[in-house]
Structures are given as C-alpha cells and as structure tokens.
Amino acid sequence: MSEEAIQDTGSQEVAAGAEAAPVGFLDSLPEELRGEPSLRTFTDPTSLAKSYVNAQRLIGADKVAKPGKSWTDDQYNEFYNSIGRPDSADAYEINMGEGANEDSVNAFRQAMWEAGLQPRQAERLAQFISEAQTSTQADSQSLAEAATYEAEQSLRQEFGQAYEQRLGMAQNAAKTLLGEKGMDMFENVQLSDGRKLGDHPEVVKMFSRLADQIGEDNLVGEPTELIMTPEEAQRQLKEVMRQDGPYLDAQHPEHDAYVAEAQRLFSLMS
C-alpha cells in the first residue's frame, strides 16, 4: 500500500472520530440561544422539558401579589382574604385550655384576624400559647411546692419536736391579733416564689414570738404544756450541767434527777 493511501486512511479515521464525538446540549442550540443565561442550568433536553411543564402549570394557577411597604390597610385586608383569612374573628376555632377567660380569648381571636392569620395558623398559635401556659403553670407549682417544703424543713429544724405546737401557737397569735377575717391574707397573699404568706418561715417565727409575749392563757385556743425548741433546750441544758450543780456530783441526792433531765433535753435538741 502506498504512502498516500495510508495517509488517506488515517484522515478518514480522524474524520470519523470527530463525527462520533458527542455534542453538548447548549452547543446543539441555534447560535442566538447558546448565550442565554437562563439556559445554562440545563444539561439535557429532559431537564428543559420538565422546567417548561412546571412553568405552564403555574401560568394557570391563581397568583397573589406580595405585600409592599407602601400598601394600605385595604390592600392588606384584600391580601389576607385572598390567602384564606376567615370572614370574621369568630370563625377561628381555637382551644386555649381549661379556665381560659372568654373575653381574653375573643380579644386574641380579633388580634389574629387583624394580623391576617389563616385558621390553621391561628389554631397552631393558640395551641402553642396554651401549651406554654400549661408548662409555665406546672413549673410555677413545682417551684412553690419546693419553696414551701424548704420553709417547713427550716422551721422543723429550728422548732424541733415543738414544731407542731409552735405552728399552732403562731396561728393562734395571728387569730388573737388579727381576728378570723385578718387570717385570710395568709391564704390569699401569694409571694413571688409561689408560697402563701402564711407559709413563710419568718412570718411563722414572728407570730410564734408574739405568742410568747401575749402568753398562752390569752391566746385563742386551748392552752397546752409547752414543748421546748432545740434552742430553748440547749439553754436549759447548760443550766442543768453547770459545774457546781448536782449533775456533776454523783453523791448529790438530786444527781439522778438531773441526769434524767439532761437526757430529756438532749432528746429535744435532736
């Protein structure tokens, strides 16, 4: 085979290879469309066709203008109505939980209507607020219970075995000084931590001291034999165990009685 024939064969193979090379999607378009920026995202005819179909569907759909900064109230109302706001606030079917004030609920309905909310949006917002209120109430109740328990433990530690008696004396002193009607404030006044005024340890201790000053015979209620608080028992114990007393003198005729009294006072201190 001649050199010319070989060269000719090679040229044909190169030409065939060039014809077989794939042509890009954009390159296959007319020249005036190749530089169109909106077409650069399409890599094949299928993606272009899908985009065209979706566009055609949107052409037949209802169109809603976006609110503008210069819109008037009338324009906003027209917009709200077009996106599904009910004809009146009464149409919102919302549940704000048990015990909700009806006037407050109606005011909330009106506010949502003026804000242009759809019924579904209004229901979800009302549900969120109701759940948040329930959670807050539960948290407040837990805090109040914890504060009340802490106050009780503080008083029990200070009053010891005299706790119940001292509590009763404080209540009797309050009744004596304030009367039955005055006692209402201890139940009705709620402190910032959720406790009732009557549960605050300083209030109880104040009226307990007043009970001592008034004297049990002058208090409302039946007088009883007083039980010492740990502090009172400790003061009494020092007196019983003094250096020159019978407690330290085993030969003293009252030694056993002083030892027994000391043990009783020790028990009141625990």
Side-chain angles (χ1 to χ4, degrees), residues 10-62:
S11 299
Q12 291 176 358
E13 290 175 353
V14 171
E19 291 175 0
V23 178
F25 170 62
L26 292 179
D27 294 335
S28 68
L29 298 175
E31 186 174 352
E32 65 269 19
L33 295 177
R34 293 174 191 168
E36 175 61 39
S38 63
L39 296 176
R40 291 177 183 172
T41 58
F42 301 105
T43 58
D44 54 64
T46 301
S47 59
L48 177 61
K50 288 181 178 179
S51 177
Y52 175 77
V53 170
N54 291 333
Q56 286 298 111
R57 288 174 178 169
L58 290 175
I59 291 175
D62 293 336

Tab-separated table of all heavy atoms in Angstrom, residues 10-62:
chain	number	residue	atom	x	y	z
A	10	GLY	N	-5.844	7.269	7.302
A	10	GLY	CA	-5.711	7.941	8.604
A	10	GLY	C	-6.610	9.159	8.680
A	10	GLY	O	-7.226	9.442	9.698
A	11	SER	N	-6.718	9.865	7.621
A	11	SER	CA	-7.565	11.057	7.602
A	11	SER	C	-9.017	10.686	7.769
A	11	SER	O	-9.780	11.353	8.477
A	11	SER	CB	-7.372	11.821	6.273
A	11	SER	OG	-6.032	12.245	6.148
A	12	GLN	N	-9.408	9.570	7.132
A	12	GLN	CA	-10.797	9.124	7.258
A	12	GLN	C	-11.133	8.711	8.695
A	12	GLN	O	-12.209	8.972	9.213
A	12	GLN	CB	-11.042	7.948	6.307
A	12	GLN	CG	-11.002	8.354	4.834
A	12	GLN	CD	-11.152	7.155	3.922
A	12	GLN	OE1	-11.246	6.016	4.405
A	12	GLN	NE2	-11.176	7.401	2.613
A	13	GLU	N	-10.174	8.039	9.354
A	13	GLU	CA	-10.403	7.609	10.744
A	13	GLU	C	-10.534	8.813	11.667
A	13	GLU	O	-11.364	8.840	12.581
A	13	GLU	CB	-9.251	6.719	11.207
A	13	GLU	CG	-9.240	5.356	10.509
A	13	GLU	CD	-8.028	4.544	10.907
A	13	GLU	OE1	-7.157	5.118	11.612
A	13	GLU	OE2	-7.979	3.342	10.585
A	14	VAL	N	-9.695	9.832	11.452
A	14	VAL	CA	-9.773	11.045	12.262
A	14	VAL	C	-11.123	11.733	12.065
A	14	VAL	O	-11.774	12.177	12.998
A	14	VAL	CB	-8.623	12.001	11.914
A	14	VAL	CG1	-8.831	13.354	12.611
A	14	VAL	CG2	-7.302	11.402	12.324
A	15	ALA	N	-11.540	11.763	10.776
A	15	ALA	CA	-12.831	12.401	10.487
A	15	ALA	C	-13.982	11.647	11.127
A	15	ALA	O	-14.913	12.233	11.674
A	15	ALA	CB	-13.033	12.464	8.962
A	16	ALA	N	-13.902	10.326	11.109
A	16	ALA	CA	-14.961	9.518	11.719
A	16	ALA	C	-15.010	9.721	13.215
A	16	ALA	O	-16.078	9.797	13.831
A	16	ALA	CB	-14.734	8.043	11.388
A	17	GLY	N	-13.821	9.821	13.821
A	17	GLY	CA	-13.761	10.047	15.273
A	17	GLY	C	-14.357	11.391	15.646
A	17	GLY	O	-15.043	11.540	16.638
A	18	ALA	N	-14.087	12.386	14.787
A	18	ALA	CA	-14.634	13.711	15.066
A	18	ALA	C	-16.140	13.717	14.956
A	18	ALA	O	-16.838	14.352	15.729
A	18	ALA	CB	-14.017	14.720	14.085
A	19	GLU	N	-16.691	12.972	13.982
A	19	GLU	CA	-18.141	12.909	13.831
A	19	GLU	C	-18.798	12.178	15.003
A	19	GLU	O	-19.897	12.489	15.419
A	19	GLU	CB	-18.481	12.184	12.519
A	19	GLU	CG	-18.104	12.996	11.288
A	19	GLU	CD	-18.347	12.206	10.005
A	19	GLU	OE1	-18.804	11.045	10.136
A	19	GLU	OE2	-18.096	12.731	8.920
A	20	ALA	N	-18.102	11.214	15.602
A	20	ALA	CA	-18.664	10.421	16.693
A	20	ALA	C	-18.635	11.147	18.031
A	20	ALA	O	-19.302	10.767	18.967
A	20	ALA	CB	-17.922	9.090	16.808
A	21	ALA	N	-17.815	12.206	18.147
A	21	ALA	CA	-17.702	12.927	19.413
A	21	ALA	C	-19.052	13.540	19.793
A	21	ALA	O	-19.728	14.131	18.937
A	21	ALA	CB	-16.649	14.019	19.293
A	22	PRO	N	-19.508	13.395	21.061
A	22	PRO	CA	-20.817	13.924	21.475
A	22	PRO	C	-20.853	15.444	21.432
A	22	PRO	O	-19.849	16.106	21.705
A	22	PRO	CB	-20.955	13.418	22.912
A	22	PRO	CG	-19.558	13.191	23.382
A	22	PRO	CD	-18.786	12.750	22.173
A	23	VAL	N	-21.992	15.970	21.091
A	23	VAL	CA	-22.177	17.405	21.017
A	23	VAL	C	-22.928	17.845	22.266
A	23	VAL	O	-23.947	17.247	22.627
A	23	VAL	CB	-22.977	17.799	19.755
A	23	VAL	CG1	-23.211	19.313	19.726
A	23	VAL	CG2	-22.247	17.342	18.513
A	24	GLY	N	-22.425	18.876	22.984
A	24	GLY	CA	-23.089	19.357	24.180
A	24	GLY	C	-24.473	19.889	23.872
A	24	GLY	O	-24.758	20.339	22.751
A	25	PHE	N	-25.371	19.860	24.941
A	25	PHE	CA	-26.758	20.279	24.740
A	25	PHE	C	-26.840	21.720	24.267
A	25	PHE	O	-27.533	22.044	23.301
A	25	PHE	CB	-27.546	20.093	26.046
A	25	PHE	CG	-28.916	20.700	26.017
A	25	PHE	CD1	-29.882	20.261	25.118
A	25	PHE	CD2	-29.263	21.731	26.879
A	25	PHE	CE1	-31.148	20.823	25.084
A	25	PHE	CE2	-30.524	22.298	26.849
A	25	PHE	CZ	-31.465	21.839	25.949
A	26	LEU	N	-26.122	22.605	24.932
A	26	LEU	CA	-26.167	24.008	24.534
A	26	LEU	C	-25.568	24.222	23.148
A	26	LEU	O	-26.025	25.084	22.391
A	26	LEU	CB	-25.431	24.867	25.572
A	26	LEU	CG	-26.090	24.971	26.957
A	26	LEU	CD1	-25.238	25.824	27.893
A	26	LEU	CD2	-27.483	25.572	26.835
A	27	ASP	N	-24.544	23.433	22.829
A	27	ASP	CA	-23.903	23.577	21.518
A	27	ASP	C	-24.844	23.179	20.389
A	27	ASP	O	-24.658	23.592	19.231
A	27	ASP	CB	-22.628	22.724	21.464
A	27	ASP	CG	-21.579	23.243	22.425
A	27	ASP	OD1	-21.627	24.446	22.752
A	27	ASP	OD2	-20.722	22.451	22.865
A	28	SER	N	-25.860	22.368	20.719
A	28	SER	CA	-26.786	21.919	19.688
A	28	SER	C	-27.866	22.950	19.387
A	28	SER	O	-28.632	22.799	18.439
A	28	SER	CB	-27.441	20.604	20.116
A	28	SER	OG	-28.305	20.824	21.229
A	29	LEU	N	-27.947	24.002	20.221
A	29	LEU	CA	-28.961	25.027	20.027
A	29	LEU	C	-28.526	26.043	18.989
A	29	LEU	O	-27.323	26.200	18.711
A	29	LEU	CB	-29.241	25.733	21.358
A	29	LEU	CG	-29.809	24.876	22.494
A	29	LEU	CD1	-29.917	25.707	23.762
A	29	LEU	CD2	-31.156	24.289	22.121
A	30	PRO	N	-29.468	26.781	18.417
A	30	PRO	CA	-29.097	27.851	17.494
A	30	PRO	C	-28.173	28.846	18.177
A	30	PRO	O	-28.220	29.029	19.401
A	30	PRO	CB	-30.445	28.484	17.133
A	30	PRO	CG	-31.436	27.392	17.347
A	30	PRO	CD	-30.918	26.608	18.511
A	31	GLU	N	-27.373	29.481	17.433
A	31	GLU	CA	-26.353	30.366	17.973
A	31	GLU	C	-26.934	31.478	18.828
A	31	GLU	O	-26.353	31.854	19.858
A	31	GLU	CB	-25.553	30.969	16.807
A	31	GLU	CG	-24.365	31.808	17.276
A	31	GLU	CD	-23.509	32.279	16.124
A	31	GLU	OE1	-23.734	31.849	14.978
A	31	GLU	OE2	-22.610	33.086	16.386
A	32	GLU	N	-28.128	31.986	18.463
A	32	GLU	CA	-28.700	33.094	19.233
A	32	GLU	C	-29.190	32.674	20.616
A	32	GLU	O	-29.465	33.515	21.472
A	32	GLU	CB	-29.853	33.740	18.445
A	32	GLU	CG	-31.062	32.836	18.216
A	32	GLU	CD	-30.954	32.068	16.910
A	32	GLU	OE1	-29.815	31.950	16.377
A	32	GLU	OE2	-31.981	31.594	16.411
A	33	LEU	N	-29.326	31.340	20.860
A	33	LEU	CA	-29.781	30.854	22.170
A	33	LEU	C	-28.648	30.339	23.052
A	33	LEU	O	-28.831	30.161	24.258
A	33	LEU	CB	-30.814	29.731	21.985
A	33	LEU	CG	-32.138	30.118	21.330
A	33	LEU	CD1	-33.003	28.877	21.151
A	33	LEU	CD2	-32.879	31.157	22.163
A	34	ARG	N	-27.518	30.096	22.464
A	34	ARG	CA	-26.426	29.485	23.240
A	34	ARG	C	-25.954	30.363	24.396
A	34	ARG	O	-25.547	29.868	25.440
A	34	ARG	CB	-25.245	29.193	22.315
A	34	ARG	CG	-25.532	28.108	21.288
A	34	ARG	CD	-24.376	27.968	20.327
A	34	ARG	NE	-24.728	27.115	19.191
A	34	ARG	CZ	-23.992	26.996	18.095
A	34	ARG	NH1	-22.847	27.672	18.003
A	34	ARG	NH2	-24.396	26.217	17.111
A	35	GLY	N	-26.011	31.648	24.210
A	35	GLY	CA	-25.524	32.543	25.262
A	35	GLY	C	-26.597	32.988	26.249
A	35	GLY	O	-26.335	33.836	27.110
A	36	GLU	N	-27.792	32.412	26.150
A	36	GLU	CA	-28.889	32.787	27.041
A	36	GLU	C	-28.595	32.308	28.477
A	36	GLU	O	-28.481	31.110	28.738
A	36	GLU	CB	-30.194	32.166	26.550
A	36	GLU	CG	-31.390	32.403	27.472
A	36	GLU	CD	-31.716	33.868	27.647
A	36	GLU	OE1	-31.619	34.619	26.645
A	36	GLU	OE2	-32.048	34.269	28.775
A	37	PRO	N	-28.452	33.241	29.447
A	37	PRO	CA	-28.085	32.845	30.827
A	37	PRO	C	-29.074	31.883	31.463
A	37	PRO	O	-28.688	30.998	32.232
A	37	PRO	CB	-28.060	34.193	31.574
A	37	PRO	CG	-27.812	35.207	30.509
A	37	PRO	CD	-28.532	34.695	29.284
A	38	SER	N	-30.363	32.026	31.161
A	38	SER	CA	-31.371	31.181	31.802
A	38	SER	C	-31.292	29.738	31.367
A	38	SER	O	-31.878	28.853	32.000
A	38	SER	CB	-32.769	31.733	31.510
A	38	SER	OG	-33.037	31.696	30.124
A	39	LEU	N	-30.561	29.458	30.287
A	39	LEU	CA	-30.459	28.088	29.792
A	39	LEU	C	-29.206	27.372	30.287
A	39	LEU	O	-29.049	26.170	30.059
A	39	LEU	CB	-30.471	28.080	28.255
A	39	LEU	CG	-31.755	28.577	27.595
A	39	LEU	CD1	-31.572	28.608	26.073
A	39	LEU	CD2	-32.937	27.705	27.970
A	40	ARG	N	-28.338	28.079	30.949
A	40	ARG	CA	-27.055	27.489	31.345
A	40	ARG	C	-27.206	26.391	32.408
A	40	ARG	O	-26.310	25.567	32.571
A	40	ARG	CB	-26.123	28.581	31.868
A	40	ARG	CG	-25.666	29.531	30.760
A	40	ARG	CD	-24.795	30.640	31.322
A	40	ARG	NE	-24.411	31.579	30.268
A	40	ARG	CZ	-23.777	32.730	30.480
A	40	ARG	NH1	-23.456	33.064	31.732
A	40	ARG	NH2	-23.477	33.513	29.477
A	41	THR	N	-28.324	26.396	33.117
A	41	THR	CA	-28.518	25.374	34.156
A	41	THR	C	-29.021	24.050	33.587
A	41	THR	O	-29.075	23.061	34.306
A	41	THR	CB	-29.536	25.872	35.206
A	41	THR	OG1	-30.761	26.184	34.544
A	41	THR	CG2	-29.010	27.112	35.923
A	42	PHE	N	-29.404	24.025	32.339
A	42	PHE	CA	-29.918	22.803	31.717
A	42	PHE	C	-28.794	22.061	31.006
A	42	PHE	O	-28.033	22.648	30.228
A	42	PHE	CB	-31.038	23.131	30.713
A	42	PHE	CG	-32.204	23.835	31.335
A	42	PHE	CD1	-32.412	25.195	31.133
A	42	PHE	CD2	-33.094	23.147	32.134
A	42	PHE	CE1	-33.478	25.845	31.700
A	42	PHE	CE2	-34.173	23.799	32.715
A	42	PHE	CZ	-34.362	25.149	32.506
A	43	THR	N	-28.710	20.766	31.283
A	43	THR	CA	-27.648	19.953	30.680
A	43	THR	C	-28.171	18.996	29.615
A	43	THR	O	-27.378	18.368	28.915
A	43	THR	CB	-26.940	19.137	31.774
A	43	THR	OG1	-27.913	18.322	32.435
A	43	THR	CG2	-26.263	20.067	32.782
A	44	ASP	N	-29.491	18.862	29.538
A	44	ASP	CA	-30.061	17.951	28.541
A	44	ASP	C	-31.496	18.382	28.237
A	44	ASP	O	-32.097	19.169	28.973
A	44	ASP	CB	-30.038	16.507	29.049
A	44	ASP	CG	-30.720	16.375	30.398
A	44	ASP	OD1	-31.935	16.619	30.463
A	44	ASP	OD2	-30.023	16.057	31.382
A	45	PRO	N	-32.062	17.899	27.167
A	45	PRO	CA	-33.429	18.281	26.781
A	45	PRO	C	-34.483	17.910	27.824
A	45	PRO	O	-35.484	18.602	27.970
A	45	PRO	CB	-33.653	17.517	25.479
A	45	PRO	CG	-32.288	17.261	24.946
A	45	PRO	CD	-31.421	17.045	26.144
A	46	THR	N	-34.263	16.812	28.572
A	46	THR	CA	-35.250	16.368	29.560
A	46	THR	C	-35.455	17.409	30.657
A	46	THR	O	-36.586	17.726	31.046
A	46	THR	CB	-34.813	15.034	30.196
A	46	THR	OG1	-34.670	14.055	29.169
A	46	THR	CG2	-35.834	14.564	31.221
A	47	SER	N	-34.354	17.949	31.192
A	47	SER	CA	-34.465	18.946	32.254
A	47	SER	C	-35.132	20.214	31.743
A	47	SER	O	-35.903	20.857	32.463
A	47	SER	CB	-33.078	19.264	32.831
A	47	SER	OG	-32.214	19.742	31.816
A	48	LEU	N	-34.862	20.575	30.502
A	48	LEU	CA	-35.509	21.747	29.919
A	48	LEU	C	-37.011	21.513	29.773
A	48	LEU	O	-37.826	22.391	30.062
A	48	LEU	CB	-34.883	22.066	28.559
A	48	LEU	CG	-35.510	23.240	27.796
A	48	LEU	CD1	-35.393	24.530	28.597
A	48	LEU	CD2	-34.841	23.416	26.430
A	49	ALA	N	-37.386	20.304	29.359
A	49	ALA	CA	-38.798	19.975	29.176
A	49	ALA	C	-39.550	20.013	30.512
A	49	ALA	O	-40.673	20.520	30.596
A	49	ALA	CB	-38.927	18.602	28.528
A	50	LYS	N	-38.948	19.484	31.571
A	50	LYS	CA	-39.584	19.494	32.894
A	50	LYS	C	-39.814	20.927	33.371
A	50	LYS	O	-40.868	21.252	33.932
A	50	LYS	CB	-38.718	18.745	33.904
A	50	LYS	CG	-38.707	17.241	33.701
A	50	LYS	CD	-37.843	16.573	34.769
A	50	LYS	CE	-37.846	15.059	34.613
A	50	LYS	NZ	-36.997	14.394	35.626
A	51	SER	N	-38.826	21.767	33.157
A	51	SER	CA	-38.953	23.150	33.567
A	51	SER	C	-40.084	23.835	32.810
A	51	SER	O	-40.866	24.612	33.378
A	51	SER	CB	-37.636	23.887	33.326
A	51	SER	OG	-37.757	25.254	33.644
A	52	TYR	N	-40.212	23.521	31.542
A	52	TYR	CA	-41.264	24.120	30.714
A	52	TYR	C	-42.648	23.677	31.208
A	52	TYR	O	-43.573	24.481	31.330
A	52	TYR	CB	-41.070	23.710	29.256
A	52	TYR	CG	-42.183	24.179	28.342
A	52	TYR	CD1	-42.238	25.508	27.917
A	52	TYR	CD2	-43.180	23.304	27.921
A	52	TYR	CE1	-43.269	25.939	27.093
A	52	TYR	CE2	-44.213	23.729	27.106
A	52	TYR	CZ	-44.253	25.056	26.691
A	52	TYR	OH	-45.274	25.479	25.884
A	53	VAL	N	-42.790	22.381	31.526
A	53	VAL	CA	-44.076	21.858	32.004
A	53	VAL	C	-44.488	22.525	33.313
A	53	VAL	O	-45.641	22.928	33.491
A	53	VAL	CB	-44.004	20.322	32.184
A	53	VAL	CG1	-45.248	19.809	32.900
A	53	VAL	CG2	-43.853	19.646	30.826
A	54	ASN	N	-43.533	22.664	34.242
A	54	ASN	CA	-43.832	23.309	35.515
A	54	ASN	C	-44.248	24.764	35.323
A	54	ASN	O	-45.154	25.259	35.989
A	54	ASN	CB	-42.617	23.243	36.449
A	54	ASN	CG	-42.342	21.833	36.924
A	54	ASN	OD1	-43.255	21.014	37.004
A	54	ASN	ND2	-41.086	21.536	37.231
A	55	ALA	N	-43.591	25.438	34.407
A	55	ALA	CA	-43.922	26.828	34.127
A	55	ALA	C	-45.330	26.949	33.578
A	55	ALA	O	-46.084	27.856	33.928
A	55	ALA	CB	-42.900	27.423	33.167
A	56	GLN	N	-45.712	26.018	32.710
A	56	GLN	CA	-47.047	26.041	32.129
A	56	GLN	C	-48.127	25.828	33.202
A	56	GLN	O	-49.185	26.421	33.151
A	56	GLN	CB	-47.168	24.951	31.045
A	56	GLN	CG	-46.436	25.299	29.753
A	56	GLN	CD	-47.018	26.556	29.104
A	56	GLN	OE1	-46.376	27.596	29.060
A	56	GLN	NE2	-48.239	26.452	28.607
A	57	ARG	N	-47.824	24.958	34.162
A	57	ARG	CA	-48.782	24.718	35.239
A	57	ARG	C	-49.000	25.969	36.083
A	57	ARG	O	-50.104	26.262	36.533
A	57	ARG	CB	-48.295	23.575	36.136
A	57	ARG	CG	-48.391	22.214	35.452
A	57	ARG	CD	-47.755	21.145	36.321
A	57	ARG	NE	-47.873	19.821	35.700
A	57	ARG	CZ	-47.225	18.748	36.136
A	57	ARG	NH1	-46.422	18.839	37.202
A	57	ARG	NH2	-47.378	17.583	35.522
A	58	LEU	N	-47.923	26.706	36.328
A	58	LEU	CA	-48.028	27.912	37.130
A	58	LEU	C	-48.807	29.001	36.419
A	58	LEU	O	-49.426	29.855	37.060
A	58	LEU	CB	-46.625	28.432	37.486
A	58	LEU	CG	-45.837	27.581	38.483
A	58	LEU	CD1	-44.425	28.137	38.644
A	58	LEU	CD2	-46.556	27.569	39.832
A	59	ILE	N	-48.776	28.978	35.098
A	59	ILE	CA	-49.489	30.014	34.340
A	59	ILE	C	-50.973	29.961	34.626
A	59	ILE	O	-51.657	30.968	34.723
A	59	ILE	CB	-49.212	29.844	32.819
A	59	ILE	CG1	-47.740	30.200	32.527
A	59	ILE	CG2	-50.154	30.708	31.997
A	59	ILE	CD1	-47.324	29.948	31.104
A	60	GLY	N	-51.506	28.745	34.830
A	60	GLY	CA	-52.937	28.607	35.085
A	60	GLY	C	-53.320	28.734	36.540
A	60	GLY	O	-54.491	28.712	36.876
A	61	ALA	N	-52.351	28.839	37.433
A	61	ALA	CA	-52.654	28.905	38.869
A	61	ALA	C	-52.980	30.338	39.297
A	61	ALA	O	-52.619	31.293	38.627
A	61	ALA	CB	-51.458	28.396	39.670
A	62	ASP	N	-53.703	30.435	40.458
A	62	ASP	CA	-54.011	31.759	40.988
A	62	ASP	C	-52.731	32.434	41.445
A	62	ASP	O	-51.872	31.811	42.068
A	62	ASP	CB	-54.973	31.635	42.173
A	62	ASP	CG	-56.335	31.124	41.724
A	62	ASP	OD1	-56.658	31.320	40.539
A	62	ASP	OD2	-57.051	30.533	42.565
